[in-house]
Amino acid sequence: MQYISTRGGMAPQSFSDILLGGLAPDGGLVVPDNYPHVDHATLQQWRALSYPQLAFEIVSRFATDIPAEDVRRLVEAAYTPAAFGSEAITPLTELDEGLHLLHLSNGPTLAFKDIAMQLLGQLFEYVLTRRGEAVNIVGATSGDTGSAAEYAMRGKQGVNVFMLSPHGRMSPFQRAQMFSLQDPNIHNLAIDGTFDDCQDIVKAINNDAAYKARYKVSAVNSINWGRIVAQVVYYFRAYLQVAPQIGDPVDFVVPSGNFGNICAGHIARRMGLPVGRLVVATNENDVLDEFFKTGKYTVRASVDTHATSSPSMDISKASNLERFVFDLIDRDGSELARLWQEVDRTGGFDLGKTPYFARMVGEFGFSSGKSTHADRIATIRAAKARWNVVLDPHTADGVKVALENRRPGIPMVTLETALPAKFEATLLEALGETPPRPAHLAELEQLPQRSVRLANDAEAVKAWVAAALG
Ligand SMILES: *Cc1c(COP(=O)(O)O)cnc(C)c1O
């Protein structure tokens, strides 16, 4: 399998070649040149597989330039009960008859991003060691993505992580989660500024081509292809557990921001998994709900991006949407490039009056819904009262939209994207008590912490990183 750009301007490359990169050279996103097809007989056999065995079957179909026995070893190292709390890795529970919750948040940082990041850590180390190379990941975080990256890369050969966070602005839990890591390859830089300031510093570093090349600066953001592939696995896993017969439809609801999680569901469906509907759930930042309801994609300005109580879905544009639209328009790279030029020029595009709009809903199975702060609070309360289940705010957005979109006789799976322990303030507002926390994290805030505090100044950060790398 080879990888190409959604905008048509990249010579085909292997999985290992694109794994460490970000955007394609033409500004597009990398995608496989075809989706491997999985037939019903194979799906039937896969019902008996463990999570790592299933992950091997799927990842090896995309990472065709890595020897199969190596892929097997890497997925077995990534998906262990020690890291994810159970053999199941992604257990399912049933709330009401046919209404399921897929638990994706039992990894080290209590959010679904661990599932992709833990495999990415293994893959990065493998590819870098084989090539005798090293990378330095420089990123900015307001709490969630940065910690998942650090827990995935800690102790890995050939990788250093420099994670910028706004000093004094993370929750005590988030801060302790990151700053308690003592691994020498993990560096927490607390910046005297906001999250946006941190992002601006990362941008400034990436715009300094000489510095970037000299210090091998890299990233692990949500457009990374390896992350998407890892996420395809749990759609198969959940389908195989929930579908009465192979071939019966199963609907999925996905709390969404950058469209990375649900993009993996779209790919599973293209591979032949009999997914019925893929329902996008958004919060007040409803770029995606608008797109799937009207065909209009309108990027928001940062002043129009609301800070909500499901903060990991506060986005103004959905980076991974480009991968879906590429498939929707029959993989026409020049048309895709034209649409995204329109985004740059006018802030969006409109597929509402094109034949593509009907296909999104019909052939591609997408629909959407939206949830607000009041909905979120009400859903957290209702789930506790009806099912004695404590939901995190993002998963509550998903359950709210799931309840509105159920189809009689068709199982529906809502993806849980975080544990409530990460969002104490909102849980306190909804339930009047702090959420339960996994036992091994009870004393987290008491652990010794390690970080450096730096001025809101790109040059100061560059100098610190350069000195650390010697
Ligand atoms: C990242 C994240 C999301 C959004 O996922 P996307 O892949 O960006 O759509 C939703 N919920 C939580 C808790 C997250 O961390």
Side-chain angles (χ1 to χ4, degrees):
M1 174 174 290
Q2 297 280 300
Y3 289 84
I4 56 174
S5 166
T6 49
R7 300 190 193 178
M10 182 177 95
Q13 295 191 26
S14 72
F15 181 85
S16 302
D17 286 333
I18 55 107
L19 178 71
L20 306 172
L23 288 177
D26 62 354
L29 271 57
V30 294
V31 286
D33 59 4
N34 68 83
Y35 294 124
H37 188 75
V38 182
D39 61 27
H40 286 195
T42 307
L43 287 174
Q44 190 61 46
Q45 289 167 5
W46 284 2
R47 281 194 148 170
L49 300 185
S50 68
Y51 194 97
Q53 286 169 336
L54 182 63
F56 165 74
E57 293 295 341
I58 291 166
V59 175
S60 60
R61 281 168 165 75
F62 288 97
T64 51
D65 65 319
I66 300 181
E69 63 271 23
D70 292 345
V71 176
R72 194 180 290 282
R73 186 167 49 75
L74 296 172
V75 297
E76 281 172 1
Y79 300 118
T80 63
F84 288 94
S86 70
E87 291 283 351
I89 308 295
T90 60
L92 265 168
T93 54
E94 195 166 18
L95 298 174
D96 265 348
E97 203 190 327
L99 183 67
H100 305 267
L101 203 54
L102 177 61
H103 298 273
L104 302 177
S105 316
N106 294 320
T109 72
L110 316 187
F112 87 97
K113 293 193 172 70
D114 286 328
I115 301 207
M117 287 287 195
Q118 287 292 312
L119 181 61
L120 208 59
Q122 299 292 338
L123 286 166
F124 263 51
E125 183 175 59
Y126 174 82
V127 170
L128 288 167
T129 309
R130 214 167 52 156
R131 297 183 168 194
E133 291 175 11
V135 293
N136 298 302
I137 294 167
V138 180
T141 187
S142 54
D144 279 352
T145 315
S147 59
E150 289 188 351
Y151 279 77
M153 301 296 169
R154 60 188 297 200
K156 294 285 185 293
Q157 290 292 320
V159 188
N160 289 295
V161 178
F162 298 89
M163 194 57 67
L164 283 61
S165 59
H167 174 72
R169 289 172 195 253
M170 287 193 292
S171 75
F173 179 86
Q174 288 175 319
R175 186 166 53 242
Q177 222 178 15
M178 291 176 57
F179 292 9
S180 63
L181 289 179
Q182 303 295 334
D183 308 76
N185 71 326
I186 303 295
H187 305 275
N188 284 300
L189 313 184
I191 305 296
D192 280 314
T194 63
F195 172 59
D196 286 332
D197 294 328
C198 295
Q199 268 190 316
D200 287 344
I201 293 175
V202 173
K203 259 186 226 150
I205 292 174
N206 279 291
N207 286 337
D208 182 343
Y211 185 94
K212 197 177 165 186
R214 175 160 180 205
Y215 294 105
K216 301 181 172 57
V217 174
S218 171
V220 283
N221 40 29
S222 72
I223 56 156
N224 181 285
W225 173 253
R227 287 177 63 178
I228 306 278
V229 171
Q231 292 169 181
V232 171
V233 177
Y234 49 71
Y235 286 90
F236 277 85
R237 177 93 172 150
Y239 178 88
L240 296 173
Q241 285 179 277
V242 159
Q245 306 271 348
I246 298 296
D248 292 345
V250 173
D251 293 348
F252 288 85
V253 179
V254 188
S256 293
N258 260 321
F259 204 73
N261 198 353
I262 201 163
C263 185
H266 158 69
I267 291 165
R269 202 170 181 277
R270 299 304 276 176
M271 290 171 71
L273 190 71
V275 172
R277 285 192 186 149
L278 287 165
V279 186
V280 178
T282 76
N283 65 16
E284 291 87 335
N285 297 293
D286 57 358
V287 183
L288 287 170
D289 185 39
E290 183 176 89
F291 177 63
F292 285 101
K293 288 223 163 76
T294 67
K296 267 201 197 106
Y297 179 58
T298 313
V299 170
R300 312 289 197 251
S302 37
V303 288
D304 297 322
T305 307
H306 312 284
T308 74
S309 49
S310 47
S312 302
M313 290 154 62
D314 292 348
I315 52 104
S316 48
K317 55 175 194 232
S319 323
N320 280 294
L321 189 68
E322 184 166 335
R323 289 189 164 114
F324 165 69
V325 173
F326 182 61
D327 289 340
L328 179 70
I329 62 174
D330 298 316
R331 307 198 126 210
D332 178 344
S334 50
E335 174 63 6
L336 194 286
R338 197 191 61 75
L339 287 173
W340 257 264
Q341 276 159 15
E342 218 170 298
V343 174
D344 291 340
R345 223 182 42 243
T346 67
F349 56 75
D350 185 0
L351 300 182
K353 292 190 187 66
T354 71
Y356 298 123
F357 182 56
R359 292 179 72 191
M360 292 195 320
V361 180
E363 184 185 338
F364 287 82
F366 271 88
S367 63
S368 69
K370 169 180 172 175
S371 165
T372 64
H373 179 75
D375 295 325
R376 201 168 297 136
I377 297 291
T379 306
I380 292 171
R381 284 187 188 142
K384 180 82 167 70
R386 273 163 72 180
W387 308 310
N388 197 28
V389 166
V390 183
L391 299 174
D392 102 284
H394 308 78
T395 310
D397 289 334
V399 170
K400 188 261 182 186
V401 171
L403 291 170
E404 289 170 349
N405 283 276
R406 288 196 71 184
R407 297 192 290 166
I410 298 181
M412 176 165 252
V413 179
T414 303
L415 274 53
E416 171 209 78
T417 57
L419 289 193
K422 296 193 89 165
F423 302 97
E424 286 191 351
T426 303
L427 268 291
L428 200 56
E429 177 184 341
L431 300 178
E433 58 191 25
T434 51
R437 192 187 272 196
H440 70 279
L441 297 175
E443 309 281 309
L444 183 68
E445 287 91 334
Q446 275 72 58
L447 295 174
Q449 297 189 6
R450 182 174 145 261
S451 69
V452 286
R453 188 168 164 188
L454 294 175
N456 176 16
D457 172 8
E459 293 308 318
V461 174
K462 280 187 195 169
W464 196 91
V465 171
L469 292 172

